[in-house]
Amino acid sequence: MNIREDILADVSASFSETYFEAREKLLDRAGSVSSYESPARGPADERLFTDVAWFGDPDAQHVGVLISGTHGVEGYCGSAGQIDWIRGGGPASLLPGQAMLMVHALNPYGFAWDRRVTQEGCDLNRNFIDFSKPIPHNQGYDELAEHLVPQELEGPTFEASETAIAKFREERGELAFQTARKSGQYRHSDGVFFGGFGPSHSRVTLERIAEEFDLKSRGLVVIADAHTGLGPFGYGELQTEQCSGVSGYERALAMFGRSVTSPDLGTSTSVLVNGSIDEFWERLLGGRHVYVALEFGTFDPENGRRVLREDHWLAKNPGTDASTASAIRRRIREHYDPRSPDWREMVLWRSRQVHRQMFEG
C-alpha cells in the first residue's frame, strides 16, 4: 500500500459522520475514560457526554491537552485528529514524565446537533470572561444586532438588513465590521457570537476536568484546541490568543515554529476575541502553559456569515418546515466539516505534525 492509500485509510478510520459514531470510536480505542454528562439531549433524545482520556504517566509534569468540539459542529475535525493519534501509536510514544489528556466533545450539544453553540445558545470560545467583573461592551454589535440575524431570510426585511450591513462596512471598514460581529457580545442571547450571561455548562465541565486531573500542579501544559472555518481551504493555522500576550505567542513560536500567528501582531485570520478558552488556561497556569487554536480553513468567510445567520434564524423559528430546516443544517455542517477526502487528508497530516511538535517541544 502506498503512502496516499495509507492516509486515506486512516481518514476513513478516524473521521465520523455523527457525534455518536465519533464517541463510539473514541470509547473503543481510548481504554479508561471519564465521562461528563451534559444536561442537553441529542436529536433523538439521546444522552450526550464529554469524554476524557488520560494517556501516560499519571504524575507527568509535561502534559499535552487535545480538545475537540469547543464549537460543536467543528468537532468532526478535532475528533478525527484525536482518534488518529491513538490509532497511530501516540500513547506508546510518550516518554517518562509526559502525558496526553484528551477532551472529546467539550460541547457535545453542538456536536450532536451540528450547531456551533452550546445548549444555552452560547459561543463557548467567548464564554471564559470573568463574569464578576464588568462585562465587555460591543457597541458595534448592538448597532447591527437586528440585521445580523434578521427576522426573515429573504424579502424586503432581509434586503434592508443587508443594506445596513453594507453601509456599516463601507463607513467603518472591514476590520470594524468583523470585530463587531465576531469579538463576542453579552447582550443578545439569540444572536451570533453570544458569550453568555454566565458560565456555560461546557465551561464548568472544562474547569472540573482541569481540577480532577490536577493540571494546575503540572510544570508545563500544552493545549491544542481544534477548530474549523477560518483561512485557506485545508490549511491548519496555529493561532494564539491575546490574553496570553506576546509572551504566550513566543512560547508557541518556540514550540511550533513560524507558522504560529498572533492577533497582537495582526498575523492571525481571527480578530481579537473576548472570553476565549485561553483566558481559562492563562488564569490557571500563566507562563506554564502554551495554547494554540489549530484552525483549519474551509470556505469563503461570507459563506460562514450566511450559515451562522441561518442557524440562529432557525433557532428563533422552530416551526420552520422540515425541508428548509434540513437544508440549513446541511449547509452549516458542510461549512465546518467539508466531507471531501482532500480536506480530511490535509487535516490529518497537519494534526500529526502539531501533535508531534507538542512533545518534541
Side-chain angles (χ1 to χ4, degrees), residues 31-53:
S32 178
V33 170
S34 300
S35 297
Y36 300 77
E37 186 167 6
S38 169
R41 307 291 281 193
D45 201 38
E46 304 98 331
R47 297 168 70 190
L48 304 176
F49 298 87
T50 295
D51 296 298
V52 179

Side-chain angles (χ1 to χ4, degrees), residues 39-230:
R41 307 291 281 193
D45 201 38
E46 304 98 331
R47 297 168 70 190
L48 304 176
F49 298 87
T50 295
D51 296 298
V52 179
W54 180 278
F55 302 92
D57 182 354
D59 299 316
Q61 283 300 297
H62 295 169
V63 180
V65 179
L66 298 184
I67 302 176
S68 67
T70 298
H71 280 148
V73 66
E74 301 176 20
Y76 297 97
C77 160
S79 171
Q82 291 172 322
I83 292 165
D84 182 67
W85 183 82
I86 300 172
R87 292 183 66 253
S93 71
L94 296 169
L95 300 176
Q98 293 182 340
M100 180 73 91
L101 178 66
M102 198 165 285
V103 181
H104 186 268
L106 182 57
N107 168 15
Y109 163 83
F111 200 160
W113 285 88
D114 287 339
R115 299 197 69 200
R116 196 170 175 275
V117 295
T118 67
Q119 63 267 27
E120 300 97 340
C122 174
D123 183 315
L124 184 56
N125 207 38
R126 308 295 185 277
N127 186 235
F128 285 88
I129 64 168
D130 184 345
F131 283 96
S132 70
K133 296 180 179 179
I135 304 301
H137 180 210
N138 188 336
Q139 178 64 36
Y141 191 97
D142 288 347
E143 295 176 29
L144 292 172
E146 65 179 300
H147 305 301
L148 291 171
V149 186
Q151 295 182 2
E152 305 292 343
L153 294 179
E154 58 184 12
T157 301
F158 174 77
E159 295 300 333
S161 289
E162 288 296 280
T163 298
I165 289 171
K167 182 180 179 182
F168 186 100
R169 294 171 102 157
E170 181 179 356
E171 293 179 352
R172 310 283 185 87
E174 188 62 18
L175 179 59
F177 170 67
Q178 296 299 343
T179 299
R181 190 172 81 91
K182 296 180 178 179
S183 65
Q185 53 88 13
Y186 300 85
R187 292 186 174 185
H188 309 274
S189 59
D190 56 1
V192 294
F193 300 98
F194 171 60
F197 295 131
S200 65
H201 185 271
S202 290
R203 168 177 166 167
V204 172
T205 296
L206 182 63
E207 292 168 346
R208 282 184 59 196
I209 292 166
E211 180 178 359
E212 291 174 13
F213 287 89
D214 194 25
L215 294 185
K216 191 173 184 178
S217 73
R218 313 291 172 166
L220 178 66
V221 178
V222 183
I223 307 101
D225 182 14
H227 291 263
T228 66
L230 285 179

Side-chain angles (χ1 to χ4, degrees), residues 207-260:
E207 292 168 346
R208 282 184 59 196
I209 292 166
E211 180 178 359
E212 291 174 13
F213 287 89
D214 194 25
L215 294 185
K216 191 173 184 178
S217 73
R218 313 291 172 166
L220 178 66
V221 178
V222 183
I223 307 101
D225 182 14
H227 291 263
T228 66
L230 285 179
F233 187 83
Y235 176 67
E237 178 186 344
L238 287 174
Q239 301 172 347
T240 56
E241 299 288 352
Q242 185 186 31
C243 45
S244 288
V246 173
S247 62
Y249 164 75
E250 289 175 344
R251 293 194 300 272
L253 187 70
M255 180 168 288
F256 296 103
R258 288 180 287 180
S259 65
V260 174

Side-chain angles (χ1 to χ4, degrees), residues 73-74 114-117 148-150 153 158 162 181 192-193 228-229 298-315 324-337:
V73 66
E74 301 176 20
D114 287 339
R115 299 197 69 200
R116 196 170 175 275
V117 295
L148 291 171
V149 186
L153 294 179
F158 174 77
E162 288 296 280
R181 190 172 81 91
V192 294
F193 300 98
T228 66
T298 59
F299 301 108
D300 184 89
E302 281 300 292
N303 188 64
R305 183 168 77 90
R306 182 182 78 164
V307 298
L308 285 184
R309 178 180 65 210
E310 291 179 341
D311 173 64
H312 285 266
W313 178 89
L314 182 61
T324 299
S326 179
I328 288 172
R329 296 264 65 81
R330 285 196 304 271
R331 284 194 288 270
I332 192 169
R333 169 69 182 272
E334 180 63 16
H335 183 80
Y336 291 104
D337 176 36

